[in-house]
Amino acid sequence: MRPQSRFKLQGPARSLIAALALIGVAGAPAAANDSVTVVSWGGSYAEACKKAVLDPFADESGVEVRLESYNGGLAQIRAQVETGNVHWDVVDLEFADLARGCDEGLFELVDIDELPPAPDGTPARDDYFEGTFSECGGGGIFYSTVYAYNNESFTGQRPATIEDFFDLEKFPGRRGMRRTAGANLEFALLADGVPPEEIYAVLNTPEGVNRAFGKLDTIKEQIVWWEAGAQPPQMLADQEVVMSTAYNGRIFNAQVLEQQPFTIVWDGQVLDYGQFAIVAGTPNLKAARNYLLFASRVENMAAIGHYIAYSPTRRSGIDLISTHRETGVEMRPHMPSAPENMGRVVRNDWEWWADHGEEMNERFSAWLSR
Amino acid sequence: MTLPLVAFIGVTFLAPLGLMLARSVHEPLVADSLPDTLAMLEDWDGMSLPGEDVFQALGRELLTLHQQRSLGGVATRVNRLESGMRSAIVRTARQLRDADPRSWREAIIAAAPVWDEPKAWRALQRSGERYTLRHFLHALDLERDAEGNVVAQPPDQRIYLSLLGRTLMVSIVITVICLILGYPVAYLIANSPPSRSNLLLLLVLVPFWTSLLVRTTSWIVLLQNQGVINDLLVAIGLTTEEGRIPMIYNMTGTLVAMTQILLPFMVLPLYAVMRTIAPSQMRAAAALGASFGQAFVRVYWPQTVPGVAAGSLLVFILSIGYYITPALVGGRTGQLISNLIAYHMQQSLNWGLAAALGAILLVCVVLLFFLFNRLVGVERMRFT
């Protein structure tokens, strides 16, 4: 089940390839180094990354690119770095994890001035939106945690606000939420009447945290917990839940590729961003660096937005987004950053989560087990 | 002859166990990373603000750590004692890098105002203890207050003691159910003609040999809301479509699946003991005028006690450390203490706390083993 287990199978194959490369070293000098393993979030998002970035990179460079998936967090990466057995080369991370891992030395440093400039020559440093690049990151997308529902679950009135998600009287039925404190505490406080810009100030006080958990208490018995980003669209399609929090791109892809009758409620969206990073000590450093530089080109960052509704974190990339490559749907209205979707938005404070994530998740576990 | 065995047990069992136990009390990272600051803080009164020399030592050491890219580990550990210290430490190191301060104190407080409060220094001092009991306090839902007294954690954050209690309770319940279900089965196998007893034994062994994951997921197929059993209940009208019974992703799921998985560990020792009891003994008791009940209580049961003890101990100890099955079918309310240990090993990466929780679990098992020994006597137990 864990991605590592699959690697064990590749062990003999890998050493065979390495041995063959050694034998034929005169013919193919760089053969042993020409593969890179990219780890992303699985499902339709990983599929989009593959089409937009991984495959074009493989075509351009001749490097073999392997795709693995994980559910976030630093645990597996830390285990690989500390044991010196690194088999993930590049990982797609939430920004809070990227920043923490970078401070811990889990990732290779990346000089922002080495990243490719915008098409008009603007250096990457000025092209990235404020605060969206890390000393260890490359590429980058905005994504959003929203909630969505299946139209077939409602005959009359439909939910439209984040308050409705917490309103069991108006909209009875089970709700899906991610099994973690992140985003859920923000949703709870929003629905309890806290303005978006005051969320983290409120969460900084013990009363604020109590208030958030108190709000979650009101729907606790009706929550179905999900862990992988691919689960909520499935739960909605099966009508196992009447509504669920989800990553907006996953819902979008279910809408356009599978014609699922889903509706996204943008009110109260929690906007976040992430980047690729190179795992420290990878044996494929050169290929991994080349991949990172390739993934940081504006046109390639924007290309992800042609397969899933996530927008690039560089200013010059926004204008490059046009239509969904497979269905021709105009992408801009489906992006988290589209003006009509930016009514009530919480900008995820990764620094707050890097500081308080551990404490909040322990509290969350305690709350969950009661 | 026994030397290789002793060496094997030492390397594969005792050494990892010792390392784990050591990790629960030994945490040298912060002490090794900030030696000068911590040495200077030894004279600090714990209330006022430390002097300029302490600020200077801290600033220099943080800068060095930042250059070595090992600041994150230190920041994470101090942050566990005082949320917010992670960003304070990282920000301080970043801002000092670009400045050559005349006053370290001013520069550091400007970078992160929390350094103006004694709680920041207290967190630094405590996380700098090379040997510490705080993971054990944490694992027992206790903490130290500002004066250093041991106090209970706020009710909302208590979790480990109640989970430990739940784990012990679940283990006892599963052991009892296994005994009630396993005893007649073992009796039947031991007292059937060989052809039938072999078949029955096979029925116990085949699930025993089947992968744990396969058996757990089969229970999901059977018990889930849209599963076989609920479908059947709806079809024969025992329940309605809306009234489907939640039998999985809760404590029921954990109990059912774990009982089925652990049942062979009860049946096999019981069978081994019962096989040696001659059926003629029961007939003799009956011939001497005992009712079946009397004969069972006074002749049969006492002879099976070693098997009951062995099976119960096996099932109990196995279930106390189970975590895959509860993780898959336990949902929210069917989680056990091992799931939290796994969480701290794999997600929060707080290995010290995971080790302390593991050590407490180990102590529980050892205590129960001795209690058991007093009641039954280990030397009387029969496993085969």
Side-chain angles (χ1 to χ4, degrees):
Chain A
M1 282 178 105
R2 296 290 223 58
Q4 290 107 314
S5 60
R6 261 175 273 160
F7 269 92
K8 285 185 185 140
L9 293 175
Q10 290 177 358
R14 261 194 173 177
S15 21
L16 188 66
I17 291 169
L20 287 174
L22 275 177
I23 294 165
V25 76
N33 208 14
D34 279 1
S35 87
V36 57
T37 301
V38 179
V39 182
S40 186
W41 294 76
S44 52
Y45 170 60
E47 197 55 36
C49 285
K50 184 169 151 45
K51 287 174 191 154
V53 189
L54 272 66
D55 288 348
F57 174 69
D59 290 344
E60 188 187 278
S61 65
V63 169
E64 187 198 347
V65 186
R66 301 198 196 100
L67 181 61
E68 294 279 336
S69 64
Y70 83 135
N71 281 335
L74 289 174
Q76 287 146 298
I77 298 162
R78 191 200 239 191
Q80 290 182 25
V81 173
E82 285 189 357
T83 56
N85 180 21
V86 176
H87 49 248
W88 288 0
D89 301 321
V90 178
V91 186
D92 195 348
L93 294 135
E94 288 177 22
F95 205 81
D97 285 338
L98 173 61
R100 274 173 57 201
C102 193
D103 289 334
E104 282 185 39
L106 296 181
F107 303 117
E108 297 283 340
L109 289 174
V110 174
D111 184 357
I112 179 83
D113 296 320
E114 271 178 41
L115 298 186
D120 65 0
T122 312
R125 180 182 291 279
D126 303 322
D127 197 27
Y128 269 98
F129 286 101
E130 179 82 22
T132 60
F133 70 89
S134 140
E135 287 173 302
C136 295
I141 51 149
F142 286 112
Y143 62 93
S144 174
T145 308
V146 293
Y147 84 89
Y149 59 85
N150 187 330
N151 299 346
E152 289 166 3
S153 298
F154 299 96
T155 44
Q157 201 184 7
R158 291 177 176 190
T161 64
I162 190 67
E163 282 84 357
D164 291 341
F165 190 87
F166 287 82
D167 193 337
L168 288 175
E169 272 173 32
K170 225 159 113 191
F171 301 101
R174 304 212 286 176
R175 281 106 163 104
M177 286 187 120
R178 188 174 172 201
R179 192 178 184 141
T180 181
N184 293 340
L185 298 185
E186 286 95 327
F187 284 138
L189 285 183
L190 276 179
D192 207 34
V194 178
E197 58 280 4
E198 289 170 24
I199 295 278
Y200 295 100
V202 172
L203 278 177
N204 253 336
T205 64
E207 301 77 42
V209 176
N210 287 342
R211 187 172 167 190
F213 278 104
K215 188 69 181 177
L216 285 172
D217 264 332
T218 61
I219 57 168
K220 187 175 182 180
E221 295 306 321
Q222 293 295 320
I223 302 176
V224 177
W225 300 98
W226 57 267
E227 282 173 66
Q231 283 171 287
Q234 194 57 50
M235 292 181 348
L236 287 172
D238 296 343
Q239 300 205 25
E240 197 186 320
V241 293
V242 295
M243 50 184 104
S244 177
T245 64
Y247 301 121
N248 72 291
R250 310 279 184 148
I251 299 296
F252 169 80
N253 275 31
Q255 286 170 333
V256 298
L257 290 178
E258 295 162 26
Q259 278 79 46
Q260 293 285 0
F262 296 165
T263 305
I264 291 178
V265 177
W266 288 101
D267 182 58
Q269 64 157 312
V270 179
L271 187 64
D272 200 357
Y273 43 87
Q275 281 197 297
F276 288 114
I278 302 170
V279 179
T282 163
N284 305 315
L285 184 59
K286 194 163 154 264
R289 252 186 209 288
N290 287 338
Y291 172 82
L292 201 79
L293 293 179
F294 184 86
S296 304
R297 287 187 208 158
V298 179
E299 64 272 24
N300 295 332
M301 287 169 68
I304 294 176
H306 292 144
Y307 294 97
I308 193 163
Y310 297 140
S311 51
T313 51
R314 292 180 66 160
R315 290 185 179 83
S316 60
I318 300 292
D319 296 333
L320 298 180
I321 291 175
S322 52
T323 57
H324 190 254
R325 283 291 177 266
E326 283 145 337
T327 60
V329 173
E330 179 64 39
M331 291 302 288
R332 250 172 272 190
H334 299 283
M335 293 293 182
S337 50
E340 60 268 39
N341 300 337
M342 290 286 278
R344 200 159 41 149
V345 181
V346 177
R347 285 164 202 279
N348 182 52
D349 185 343
W350 65 265
E351 184 98 60
W352 191 87
W353 278 107
D355 274 356
H356 297 87
E358 207 173 307
E359 186 192 347
M360 286 303 128
N361 276 313
E362 189 167 35
R363 173 90 186 257
F364 180 78
S365 302
W367 174 80
L368 207 56
S369 75
R370 268 196 289 273
Chain B
M1 282 302 279
T2 52
L3 195 64
L5 181 66
V6 171
F8 180 76
I9 291 178
V11 170
T12 59
F13 179 67
L14 293 178
L17 202 65
L19 282 176
M20 183 204 76
L21 291 177
R23 218 179 245 279
S24 64
V25 289
H26 181 55
E27 204 172 78
L29 184 85
V30 178
D32 289 343
S33 305
L34 302 170
D36 296 347
T37 315
L38 291 167
M40 286 180 178
L41 274 179
E42 274 173 20
D43 306 328
W44 175 52
D45 63 4
M47 290 298 155
S48 64
L49 210 56
E52 169 73 16
D53 53 338
V54 186
F55 274 98
Q56 183 178 6
L58 177 73
R60 293 228 163 104
E61 283 179 328
L62 288 185
L63 276 175
T64 315
L65 288 172
H66 190 54
Q67 275 154 16
Q68 294 166 346
R69 297 197 68 211
S70 48
L71 192 62
V74 175
T76 304
R77 276 166 184 80
V78 183
N79 195 62
R80 283 193 184 128
L81 281 102
E82 183 69 51
S83 286
M85 288 305 293
R86 193 209 65 89
S87 61
I89 287 174
V90 172
R91 213 178 308 132
T92 306
R94 286 234 171 85
Q95 298 202 4
L96 288 177
R97 185 181 54 180
D98 307 323
D100 182 23
R102 251 169 298 149
S103 162
W104 288 88
R105 176 192 233 156
E106 276 170 26
I108 288 175
I109 291 177
V114 73
W115 294 115
D116 203 12
E117 298 172 49
K119 68 175 185 185
W121 296 92
R122 266 200 300 272
L124 204 62
Q125 203 176 27
R126 280 197 196 146
S127 59
E129 292 166 5
R130 201 174 284 273
Y131 294 94
T132 172
L133 283 177
R134 67 168 177 279
H135 293 310
F136 278 97
L137 292 179
H138 194 162
L140 294 168
D141 292 336
L142 302 168
E143 64 184 1
R144 281 185 194 278
D145 62 12
E147 281 83 47
N149 304 315
V150 173
V151 293
Q153 289 202 340
D156 292 331
Q157 284 156 34
R158 290 178 207 160
I159 171 169
Y160 301 108
L161 277 186
S162 62
L163 262 185
L164 190 67
R166 181 196 281 176
T167 307
L168 292 174
M169 203 58 224
V170 165
S171 303
I172 290 172
V173 169
I174 288 175
T175 310
V176 171
I177 301 178
C178 278
L179 184 61
I180 293 171
L181 293 178
Y183 200 90
V185 174
Y187 181 84
L188 196 64
I189 301 175
N191 291 287
S192 300
S195 61
R196 194 159 14 124
S197 76
N198 281 343
L199 178 72
L200 288 173
L201 204 56
L202 202 67
L203 290 180
V204 175
L205 287 175
V206 167
F208 183 57
W209 290 332
T210 310
S211 151
L212 176 83
L213 285 175
V214 172
R215 281 187 283 167
T216 305
T217 36
S218 321
W219 280 111
I220 299 180
V221 175
L222 286 174
L223 296 180
Q224 63 188 337
N225 244 5
Q226 307 295 323
V228 177
I229 293 178
N230 263 318
D231 282 350
L232 201 70
L233 289 178
V234 172
I236 60 176
L238 269 182
T239 174
T240 57
E241 189 63 43
E242 286 74 37
R244 285 172 180 262
I245 306 162
M247 290 182 285
I248 204 159
Y249 306 126
N250 52 27
M251 188 51 95
T252 317
T254 299
L255 282 176
V256 170
M258 277 179 67
T259 302
Q260 194 257 339
I261 287 164
L262 293 172
L263 200 51
F265 291 98
M266 181 64 89
V267 173
L268 295 176
L270 281 174
Y271 165 69
V273 168
M274 290 176 178
R275 210 177 40 177
T276 62
I277 304 171
S280 55
Q281 290 183 1
M282 286 291 276
R283 287 202 296 274
L288 290 171
S291 66
F292 177 79
Q294 276 176 318
F296 176 77
V297 170
R298 298 186 52 186
V299 177
Y300 200 79
W301 168 259
Q303 298 188 71
T304 58
V305 165
V308 171
S312 302
L313 201 64
L314 265 182
V315 171
F316 183 80
I317 289 179
L318 282 173
S319 53
I320 216 171
Y322 239 59
Y323 90 101
I324 298 175
T325 305
L328 287 174
V329 301
R332 184 170 72 74
T333 52
Q335 301 294 310
L336 304 180
I337 191 92
S338 321
N339 299 101
L340 261 289
I341 297 178
Y343 170 77
H344 285 301
M345 287 300 291
Q346 296 168 352
Q347 304 293 318
S348 78
L349 305 178
N350 192 346
W351 289 356
L353 179 56
L357 286 166
I360 288 172
L361 202 55
L362 184 68
V363 168
C364 285
V365 171
V366 170
L367 281 180
L368 282 160
F369 184 80
F370 279 111
L371 187 73
F372 206 80
N373 191 18
R374 286 291 296 275
L375 293 177
V376 184
V378 173
E379 67 285 351
R380 287 185 58 201
M381 255 184 257
R382 287 279 307 272
F383 288 92
T384 51

